[in-house]
Amino acid sequence: MESMGDRATLLETGRFVDGAETGDAVETEARHRRAADRGETASMSILGAMLLRRGDLDGAEPYLRAATADGDRAAANNLGVLLHQRGYADEAAGWWRIAAVAGSAAAAHALGRHHRERGDEPAAEYWLRQSAEQGHALGAYALADLLEHRSDVGAERWLRAAAEQGHREAAYRLARLLDREAEENPRGAGDGDAGTSTETAEQWYRQAAARGHRRAALHLGAILEKRGELKEAGRWYLTSAKDGEPRAACALGFLLRDAGDEESAAVWWLRAAQDGDGNAANALGALHAARGEHQTAERWYRAATDAGDVNGAYNLGLLYASQDRTAQAEQWYRRAAYAGHREAANALAILLLQSGDPKGAEPWFSKAAEAGSVDAAFNLGILYAGRDEDRTALTWYERAAAAGHTEAALQVGIARLRDGDEQEAERHLRCAAGGGSAEAAFRLATVLDARQQVTSSPALGEPQAAKTECEEWYERAAEQGHRRAQVRIGMLAAARGDIAEAARWYREAAEAGSRNGAFNLGLLLAREGNEREASLWWARAARAGHGRAALRLALLAARRGELAEGRRWCSRAVELGPAEVAERAARLSEALHQELTA
């Protein structure tokens, strides 16, 4: 046999060769048929490839065999394709071997795949490597696939080689490989770093997506969304979703919902859910639940569960719990919790605790906390604190606080204050206050307040002092409705000489039910000469148990000559105390009694 020369390459099928050039197909075929019938080897090879592509195996075979006999290696490769299609795999491999030995990269690729399908990986690797090293994209990809299956580090090199030649699946898999490397080594190693790997991955996702790879378009959309480039992310999600990728349809739905287009979001979620996407089914369930359409929500949550999404079971539990269907809620929480859903385990534990089963709740709190549920760790702290196991409770509070749980940080701060560790207490209280806890802001302010030197009120004409940090924290707590903070900030404002500000905060506290706020507001009003309104606030404070307010009312009554009323308030002051107030009230009561009996 003469030295064979390549005249064609494999198509995307990995098996088939097209020998025809562009142009009018009918005229081209007729021209090659005339030349083939005259015995021209090149035309016999091309005509055989054209007929093979059309599916005319009987017409193609004689031309391919004749060209092969004349030493055309492309014809030998295509003859192998034809025989493989007829089911004669071993005979096909024989012709591929002939073509591959003669230097056909396409045949080497086909032969390598043949050996891999039969489990002969060494032979497969040999021939695929021959194909890849000749620059054959499909050979490089198949070799990479074989090496990756064996976890061979050489896979990346050949994926890159195939991707650089435009192989879209290779580009996608290379991007996925780079993504995994970035996740496993977030700080980078050697000459590269994670950021570079991520950027490179994006380039390959983009190349694959541009060639119509729907999963690459999905991942590219996710990268862009994370970066905040929502418009472009939406375009790629849309491209992927239109190509039938349900996860992209689901992601597009979330983008549209966040943009305020709930109706369009529901359309894409429906499409994804009907294709079996559990996350989209959950989203539809939540959408209908928010509208009060509980039956429809239940149907979609069940669909999510059937799709294997454990969130569906958890959401069913939440739905039933919101309807006070406790037994059904517990059933679905258990199902999700046994499947490893940590928040379902936490919810189940709360349900058991509320039903009076703390022993049953504890292991579920523990399971959820160990799985990373911050709320469960905090709830374990509450559980142990209720048993007076303060050290164990503090351990769980600290664990939740370290993960950013605001109330847990508050509890740790309180515990550290109790232990006398003011520095650690302040650190945790700052975290909790920064997270929005009014109580933490108040307690932090008291810590800072205790360190301040006592200052006198500014003299007449002097500028008012600037607000201190502790006052700013009091104010933050006060603005969230913390009554003790409102009273304290009123006191600081009064000490600063800002009477209007003090009155405002005292009034807010008093109207919210603070007896100290009502008493202090009464003092301010009395100093301004408004004893009538002052007495109203003192009366409110006294009825709430404020002894000093009762004493003030007794004094007012005595000055007005209402001796019996004065004695009544004296009795109340003696009852409420404290000792100093009770003593003064007793003396005043005795004096009033003498006046009444004189």
Side-chain angles (χ1 to χ4, degrees):
M1 183 177 290
E2 297 177 7
S3 175
M4 296 184 175
D6 275 328
R7 298 185 186 278
T9 59
L10 285 175
L11 297 179
E12 285 294 317
T13 59
R15 298 288 190 192
F16 185 69
V17 174
D18 178 16
E21 301 293 333
T22 58
D24 184 78
V26 175
E27 182 182 345
T28 300
E29 181 180 338
R31 176 165 53 81
H32 283 301
R33 189 179 292 277
R34 289 192 296 271
D37 290 341
R38 291 195 300 269
E40 292 184 14
T41 303
S43 288
M44 287 190 289
S45 177
I46 293 172
L47 179 60
M50 293 175 70
L51 295 171
L52 178 59
R53 183 174 191 178
R54 189 188 302 160
D56 184 359
L57 305 188
D58 291 335
E61 185 171 355
Y63 288 109
L64 291 176
R65 286 190 180 276
T68 299
D70 286 346
D72 190 295
R73 68 186 183 193
N77 178 50
N78 286 338
L79 181 57
V81 173
L82 184 148
L83 293 169
H84 188 273
Q85 289 185 14
R86 288 190 186 278
Y88 303 125
D90 291 336
E91 188 179 352
W95 287 109
W96 281 330
R97 181 180 295 275
I98 290 171
V101 168
S104 170
H109 165 245
L111 185 58
R113 288 187 58 185
H114 168 80
H115 284 299
R116 189 175 182 191
E117 287 166 2
R118 277 153 180 73
D120 187 353
E121 289 197 0
E125 181 180 350
Y126 174 82
W127 288 110
L128 291 175
R129 195 173 292 278
Q130 293 294 315
S131 174
E133 288 176 348
Q134 292 180 65
H136 194 275
L138 294 176
Y141 174 72
L143 177 59
D145 185 66
L146 176 63
L147 296 174
E148 192 173 47
H149 176 71
R150 296 204 306 245
S151 300
D152 191 314
V153 293
E156 182 178 342
R157 171 196 170 191
W158 293 110
L159 279 176
R160 191 178 297 276
E164 287 172 348
Q165 294 180 68
H167 194 292
R168 71 180 189 183
E169 184 65 25
Y172 170 72
R173 288 179 63 174
L174 177 60
R176 296 293 296 143
L177 184 64
L178 293 169
D179 260 351
R180 286 194 298 272
E181 287 177 357
E183 289 169 7
E184 291 168 3
N185 187 17
R187 293 189 177 181
D191 296 331
D193 58 43
T196 303
S197 294
T198 303
E199 291 171 8
T200 307
E202 180 184 340
Q203 293 169 9
W204 291 115
Y205 279 136
R206 194 176 289 278
Q207 177 174 307
R211 291 177 176 271
H213 197 292
R214 69 185 193 186
R215 284 175 295 164
L218 167 66
H219 286 282
L220 178 57
I223 289 172
L224 293 166
E225 181 182 3
K226 187 176 180 181
R227 205 160 60 212
E229 299 176 22
L230 302 184
K231 190 172 182 179
E232 188 179 359
R235 285 201 299 269
W236 286 111
Y237 282 148
L238 180 61
T239 298
S240 181
K242 285 182 175 178
D243 286 341
E245 177 55 59
R247 290 175 297 170
C250 181
L252 180 59
F254 282 111
L255 271 190
L256 290 166
R257 182 205 62 184
D258 293 343
D261 190 353
E262 200 172 78
E263 294 305 316
S264 296
V267 170
W268 285 105
W269 282 334
L270 178 61
R271 181 168 174 172
Q274 289 173 338
D275 286 339
D277 189 281
N279 194 21
N282 267 318
L284 282 172
L287 182 65
H288 289 289
R291 294 173 178 173
E293 300 165 358
H294 292 156
Q295 286 186 334
T296 307
E298 180 179 342
R299 179 167 62 84
W300 282 115
Y301 286 149
R302 287 182 182 274
T305 304
D306 292 340
D309 192 325
V310 71
N311 284 318
Y314 173 58
N315 288 332
L316 275 170
L318 292 175
L319 183 66
Y320 290 135
S322 71
Q323 299 170 4
D324 295 324
R325 297 161 67 180
T326 307
Q328 289 163 297
E330 181 179 341
Q331 171 196 344
W332 287 102
Y333 283 150
R334 281 190 186 276
R335 180 167 174 175
Y338 278 122
H341 196 293
R342 65 191 188 191
E343 296 309 327
N346 181 55
L348 174 60
I350 292 172
L351 208 61
L352 293 169
L353 195 61
Q354 290 171 342
S355 65
D357 185 9
K359 287 186 178 179
E362 184 178 346
W364 286 112
F365 276 139
S366 296
K367 184 174 182 179
E370 294 296 347
S373 171
V374 180
D375 287 336
F378 176 66
N379 289 335
L380 269 176
I382 295 174
L383 192 66
Y384 284 113
R387 298 175 184 170
D388 293 325
E389 298 178 34
D390 292 339
R391 301 319 300 174
T392 307
L394 181 57
T395 299
W396 286 108
Y397 285 145
E398 286 177 331
R399 185 164 176 172
H405 196 288
T406 298
E407 290 304 310
L410 169 61
Q411 294 302 320
V412 175
I414 292 171
R416 294 304 180 205
L417 277 178
R418 191 168 55 241
D419 294 340
D421 188 349
E422 190 176 291
Q423 186 174 357
E424 271 299 291
E426 181 182 340
R427 183 172 71 84
H428 282 95
L429 289 173
R430 283 188 183 277
C431 289
S437 169
E439 181 64 24
F442 172 72
R443 288 179 180 268
L444 173 60
T446 60
V447 170
L448 299 173
D449 203 356
R451 297 176 188 165
Q452 293 189 151
Q453 295 180 350
V454 178
T455 56
S456 58
S457 300
L460 187 64
E462 288 185 1
Q464 293 183 355
K467 291 181 181 178
T468 61
E469 186 189 3
C470 85
E471 190 169 355
E472 289 173 355
W473 284 113
Y474 278 134
E475 191 167 299
R476 183 179 295 194
E479 286 169 350
Q480 295 179 69
H482 195 287
R483 292 183 300 180
R484 292 169 66 195
Q486 289 169 341
V487 172
R488 183 60 184 148
I489 201 172
M491 293 170 67
L492 290 173
R496 203 173 58 243
D498 191 345
I499 303 303
E501 180 79 350
R504 179 173 77 87
W505 285 115
Y506 286 151
R507 190 177 295 277
E508 280 208 32
E511 289 174 349
S514 168
R515 63 190 185 187
N516 287 330
F519 175 70
N520 289 354
L521 179 58
L523 290 178
L524 281 186
L525 292 167
R527 287 172 191 165
E528 293 175 356
N530 190 353
E531 286 191 347
R532 183 173 177 280
E533 188 179 355
S535 66
L536 294 175
W537 287 108
W538 283 333
R540 181 183 290 195
R543 283 193 293 269
H546 199 290
R548 293 184 188 279
L551 180 58
R552 289 277 178 173
L553 287 167
L555 290 168
L556 273 181
R559 283 204 301 269
R560 289 197 300 261
E562 300 170 357
L563 305 184
E565 179 75 1
R567 287 204 71 199
R568 186 172 69 82
W569 283 115
C570 281
S571 297
R572 181 66 172 155
V574 169
E575 177 188 338
L576 295 173
E580 175 197 349
V581 169
E583 183 182 344
R584 290 180 61 194
R587 289 200 303 267
L588 178 59
S589 180
E590 180 61 27
L592 293 175
H593 175 69
Q594 289 176 4
E595 283 290 323
L596 284 168
T597 57

